[in-house]
Amino acid sequence: ERGGAPLPEGAVGSLTIAADGSLWVGFGGIARISRIHGHEVTTYGDADGLTDAAIVALAADRSGEVWAATSKGLLQFAGSSWRPVAGAGLNGNMIAVTASTSGTVLAASSTAVFERAAGAATFREVASASALQAIQSIAVDAHGGVWVTDTMTGLKSIGRPPINLSY
């Protein structure tokens, strides 16, 4: 839907605010993402690259790029539609995506964390299943430290030096 259409019905699963001030709304149970800019609502769905994927998390980086972690992989908004992000491990069930103030984008599957440095063209794996189990969420602190929560070991830093805080 385009223009002043209402938001789709369904549970909101994630939110992010882009550099232009627009609010992006991800719907967890349906393949829909809406962008609210001023009084205009634009909703993206199957025809826009969100084919049958639950929207798990959204993030906007400092350059204005918007990212979606979905049940079918990591997606990047490309002006008028969503496109899959190429790379090993990025096309499966993604759990989280976040962006740091420095412009780095981090994405997590249930067993690995991937990083795309500001200005880089591709993601690289920065932590794998051998170090993490069942990742639930990811965050970047003000100093660039990467934190994850997982169901087996609790809160863990995957920065340098690694810090393990069990709960």
Side-chain angles (χ1 to χ4, degrees):
E1 296 180 29
R2 302 290 184 256
L7 288 173
E9 291 186 25
V12 173
S14 57
L15 300 169
T16 195
I17 297 180
D20 67 359
S22 59
L23 175 65
W24 291 80
V25 182
F27 295 87
I30 58 174
R32 299 287 179 271
I33 296 175
S34 292
R35 177 183 182 254
I36 304 169
H37 190 72
H39 297 286
E40 184 171 324
V41 176
T42 304
T43 298
Y44 302 92
D46 293 341
D48 306 301
L50 298 175
T51 53
D52 195 31
I55 310 306
V56 179
L58 295 171
D61 66 26
R62 71 177 188 184
S63 70
E65 298 287 340
V66 180
W67 306 85
T70 78
S71 58
K72 302 268 177 130
L74 183 65
L75 303 176
Q76 181 182 24
F77 186 67
S80 62
S81 64
W82 294 87
R83 65 173 182 82
V85 176
L90 295 172
N91 59 356
N93 187 26
M94 300 305 291
I95 302 299
V97 62
T98 191
S100 73
T101 56
S102 69
T104 296
V105 176
L106 290 127
S109 68
S110 60
T111 58
V113 176
F114 304 90
E115 172 187 76
R116 178 181 164 263
T122 59
F123 282 81
R124 66 182 182 91
E125 187 175 307
V126 293
S128 67
S130 61
L132 305 166
Q133 299 175 15
I135 296 168
Q136 292 181 309
S137 64
I138 186 169
V140 182
D141 65 30
H143 305 288
V146 178
W147 296 85
V148 297
T149 60
D150 71 45
T151 58
M152 304 302 277
T153 60
L155 177 65
K156 186 180 281 190
S157 168
I158 60 171
R160 296 170 200 79
I163 301 168
N164 187 12
L165 303 171
S166 295
Y167 57 88

